[in-house]
Amino acid sequence: ALFGAFLTATSSLLVLYSRQTLLAFYPLFFNSLVFLVCLSLIKKYRASITILLGLLLGITIQIHYSSISLVLSSLIFPLFFIKKNIWAKYYLFIIIGLTLGLLPMIVFELRHQFFNTKMLLAIKSASVNSNFLSFWQDALSRFLFGGNVWLARIFLLTVGGAIIFLRKKIGLIQKLSLVFIIASIIFTLIFRNSLQPPYEYISHYA
C-alpha cells in the first residue's frame, strides 16, 4: 500500500488530474470497500453482505463508468472462492443489491430518455485504434514511469514472472487481487478502443 501510494504521489499524471474534476478518483474508496466485502464473503458467506456488495456496485457505477470492472470482479470471484452450491443464491442477491443501488440512476434514465446509457454506448462505439499490449504498456509508462515505455515493459515482465513463479505461495488477499486485475484486463478488452490517453481509469487499479 505504501509503495502504491509512493508511485501515485510521484506520477506525472497526478499534476494533470489535479487540473481536472476529481470525479474519477471517488471510486478509489469504493474499490477498496468492495474488495473488503468480497474478502468477507470468502471467509463466511452471508446473504446480507452479498446484497450490500450489489448495493455498493450500483452506487459506484453511478459515480464513474470504469467501475464496471468492479462488477466484473464480483461476477468472477465466486467461481474461485465460493462453493458451487451457493452460486445461485449469490448471484440472485447481488442482482437484488445492484438493482437497489442503481435505482436512482434507473429513475433518472427513464425520465431523461436514457441519457447516460446513450453516452456510455457512444463511448463504447468510439473508434480509436489501439493494440491491447501497447495500450497497457503505454498507460503504465505514463502513470508510473514518466512515459518511459521500456521501464513499463520491464515492470510488466517482472510482475508477470513473479506471479508465475510464486503462484503457489501467494495468499488469499493476493489471489483476490489477481481476480480484480483480471477483471480490469477484461474491461480493457471491452473499452480499449474508446479510451484515449491518459487512460484515466488505470489510476483506479494501479
Side-chain angles (χ1 to χ4, degrees):
L2 291 175
F3 181 63
F6 170 77
L7 291 176
T8 301
T10 56
S11 171
S12 59
L13 291 186
L14 192 62
V15 177
L16 176 61
Y17 292 148
S18 67
R19 299 179 181 180
Q20 302 176 5
T21 174
L22 291 178
L23 183 62
F25 284 96
Y26 295 149
L28 281 168
F29 169 77
F30 290 96
N31 184 51
S32 302
L33 192 56
V34 167
F35 186 90
L36 291 175
V37 172
C38 289
L39 194 61
S40 175
L41 285 172
I42 293 173
K43 294 178 179 178
K44 183 180 180 181
Y45 175 80
R46 284 173 289 179
S48 58
I49 299 299
T50 307
I51 294 175
L52 174 62
L53 175 59
L55 186 65
L56 289 172
L57 293 173
I59 293 172
T60 311
I61 289 175
Q62 296 177 73
I63 298 175
H64 202 274
Y65 82 98
S66 63
S67 301
I68 291 172
S69 66
L70 292 180
V71 177
L72 294 174
S73 301
S74 301
L75 295 177
I76 294 172
F77 97 91
L79 305 178
F80 301 98
F81 299 104
I82 293 181
K83 294 179 181 180
K84 191 173 183 180
N85 61 339
I86 302 179
W87 288 358
K89 290 191 295 183
Y90 171 84
Y91 288 115
L92 173 62
F93 287 124
I94 201 170
I95 289 173
I96 292 173
L98 185 60
T99 302
L100 291 174
L102 285 173
L103 195 57
M105 184 175 180
I106 293 173
V107 173
F108 177 89
E109 293 293 273
L110 291 173
R111 293 188 61 183
H112 296 85
Q113 293 77 49
F114 299 94
F115 174 79
N116 288 311
T117 303
K118 291 177 181 177
M119 290 293 292
L120 181 60
L121 292 175
I123 292 173
K124 175 65 183 71
S125 61
S127 178
V128 178
N129 294 325
S130 174
N131 176 271
F132 174 71
L133 293 177
S134 65
F135 173 91
W136 271 95
Q137 76 173 15
D138 189 30
L140 289 174
S141 69
R142 289 169 178 268
F143 184 69
L144 299 177
F145 304 108
N148 191 312
V149 175
W150 282 103
L151 288 178
R153 291 174 180 172
I154 294 172
F155 175 80
L156 287 171
L157 290 173
T158 302
V159 172
I163 292 173
I164 293 173
F165 288 110
L166 301 176
R167 63 185 182 278
K168 294 183 179 180
K169 298 182 179 180
I170 60 177
L172 177 60
I173 293 178
Q174 289 75 25
K175 290 178 181 178
L176 185 58
S177 297
L178 285 176
V179 171
F180 275 62
I181 292 172
I182 291 171
S184 294
I185 292 173
I186 295 173
F187 176 84
T188 302
L189 288 171
I190 297 172
F191 286 96
R192 64 187 171 87
N193 288 333
S194 56
L195 294 170
Q196 301 185 36
Y199 312 117
E200 64 178 71
Y201 89 94
I202 293 292
S203 62
H204 300 181
Y205 312 105

